[in-house]
Amino acid sequence: MRATLAAVAPSPMRWRAALGALVFWLAAGLAPALAQALLPPSLPVLPAHPLEERLHVLVNRERAGVGLHPLRHHEALAQAARHHAEEMVRLGYFSHVSPTPGRTQPVERVAAVGGTHVAVGENLAALSIVGGDLAERAVAGWMQSEDHRGNLLRPGWTHVGFGVHEASAREVYVVKVLAQDPLALSGLAASRDGPARLALRFEIAGSAGGWVSVAGGGSLAPPTALDGDEGAVVVVEGVDASAPTHLRLEWTAEPGAAFVGQASGWFEPNERAWTPDWSASTAFAEVVDVAATFASPGVVIRLRFEALVDELVVFVDGREVPLDGGGAEAAFAVPGRDGRYAIDVATPLSAERAAVWHAFEVVVGDGEVSLGAPPAP
């Protein structure tokens, strides 16, 4: 299993376990290509301000001047920026930290409008309306501040969104929200595709040789030859993925002879854990390891990306899961058992480390499945 991390507010970086995307939360005391949300938004859609396009052009001009790639517009980031600008005016404050529960930090505000990004940064500006080109002055102010300049010119950013709101007849607030999204997730869907069933792979050892099988939960594996030196692998199909199942290992000296019960125990699907019975015999054969894969998934999550993805890992409740598909699409399964499942979409850094770029939650219950924002950190 890979260790994972997500860069989450409020600190610049939080290790969930591995990589970090450095995120700046900058209070700016300056003088002052997704079209839809991936998750159900809890806030209404706000219209664009005429200054937003000009701000985008100027920010990309500054990045081009130092040899950096341009930032692409992302509507979820823009909605987060617009709502924050509007709220600061309405509640009479100017800060990265909102007093509204569930929208305290930039990453939470992105989630509130349906975004899934976890590597998010933000710049603010408060400007006098009198004095010339507002967009020029906002970007110039950011570039004159060491912290804000570093945020604007951070190489890792890939997407941006702007929000502008008049604070009074003489002042305007500008919000810029940036995100690092090398995966460029553009589509997300969940569906029930049938009952949740597991395929369990038993590694068996036994010096006496013979034949082995595994039975339980209404499933029975065909007899498999047990090599005294190399052991055997027995796969049991169709095991219930919604509840613990008791299974038993059986041994016989030759095909057609009666089987003798050997190791037995419980398999817990949520924990993917095998717990042997303390009283089981291991005279002729014993279980070395048990691993599970989904034979027929209960709930399937489908991901779609803007471009081809070379490397991808997905974690369900912190455990890496098998993926189907390739190119610009991928699918994976979560248990059909009622519950909430935390999903992290990441790129691998090594055999044990991965960088998480998107996070969301799958909720299964009452025969339904839905997607939502992850709980606030």
Side-chain angles (χ1 to χ4, degrees):
M1 182 181 73
R2 299 176 201 268
T4 67
L5 121 145
V8 180
S11 59
M13 191 184 330
R14 190 176 84 179
W15 291 88
R16 208 139 107 198
L19 154 85
L22 183 61
V23 179
F24 298 83
W25 308 120
L26 303 172
L30 297 181
L34 296 180
Q36 74 286 335
L38 296 177
L39 302 176
S42 59
L43 295 172
V45 175
L46 294 182
H49 189 281
L51 279 180
E52 291 180 19
E53 185 175 354
R54 173 74 171 152
L55 286 162
H56 194 173
V57 169
L58 294 176
V59 164
N60 278 339
R61 185 180 70 183
E62 295 292 348
R63 291 176 63 87
V66 295
L68 294 175
H69 61 265
L71 302 176
R72 288 177 286 166
H73 171 79
H74 193 301
E75 186 61 20
L77 303 182
Q79 288 296 323
R82 292 167 194 163
H83 276 283
H84 190 49
E86 184 278 333
E87 183 188 88
M88 288 193 296
V89 171
R90 176 166 43 86
L91 299 183
Y93 74 95
F94 182 72
S95 171
H96 291 286
V97 181
S98 165
T100 303
R103 291 159 58 183
T104 303
Q105 300 293 338
V107 70
E108 295 176 87
R109 295 193 282 273
V110 171
V113 297
T116 59
H117 299 92
V118 298
V120 178
E122 183 179 83
N123 279 353
L124 308 180
L127 302 166
S128 169
I129 290 178
V130 179
D133 191 322
L134 287 171
E136 285 273 9
R137 286 191 287 132
V139 175
W142 288 329
M143 292 299 291
Q144 290 165 13
S145 162
E146 181 179 354
D147 286 342
H148 295 77
R149 175 186 171 89
N151 205 19
L152 189 154
L153 299 180
R154 180 171 181 249
W157 296 135
T158 56
H159 294 78
V160 70
F162 296 90
V164 180
H165 205 85
E166 284 77 15
S168 68
R170 293 182 296 178
E171 190 176 42
V172 64
Y173 285 175
V174 178
V175 180
K176 177 180 67 194
V177 178
L178 308 110
Q180 184 167 355
D181 183 11
L183 294 177
L185 185 62
S186 63
L188 178 60
S191 62
R192 275 194 178 275
D193 284 5
R197 296 292 175 183
L198 293 171
L200 299 184
R201 183 182 185 276
F202 283 76
E203 292 185 19
I204 311 300
S207 59
W211 294 76
V212 289
S213 180
V214 176
S219 301
L220 175 66
T224 301
L226 176 63
D227 186 280
D229 295 322
E230 298 183 2
V233 172
V234 178
V235 177
V236 188
E237 302 280 358
V239 176
D240 188 358
S242 65
T245 298
H246 191 264
L247 299 109
R248 64 186 182 277
L249 169 65
E250 299 180 336
W251 174 90
T252 184
E254 56 186 23
F259 278 87
V260 178
Q262 295 293 290
S264 62
W266 289 89
F267 186 82
E268 167 53 56
N270 284 345
E271 297 297 328
R272 302 290 182 92
W274 169 257
T275 303
D277 294 334
W278 66 269
S279 60
S281 169
T282 57
F284 299 104
E286 62 179 331
V287 176
V288 176
D289 187 48
V290 181
T293 58
F294 278 91
S296 61
V299 174
V300 175
I301 310 299
R302 293 178 173 84
L303 308 174
R304 186 174 67 254
F305 302 94
E306 292 180 9
L308 300 181
V309 175
D310 293 329
E311 295 184 294
L312 176 71
V313 289
V314 172
F315 301 90
V316 176
D317 288 341
R319 298 173 182 270
E320 187 177 352
V321 296
L323 297 175
D324 293 325
E329 297 184 350
F332 61 94
V334 300
R337 188 176 182 179
D338 288 0
R340 310 178 80 92
Y341 301 94
I343 311 300
D344 292 323
V345 182
T347 51
L349 298 177
S350 68
E352 297 180 347
R353 304 175 67 195
V356 176
W357 304 113
H358 294 273
F360 57 95
E361 193 174 61
V362 178
V363 182
V364 181
D366 298 326
E368 302 293 330
V369 57
S370 61
L371 300 173

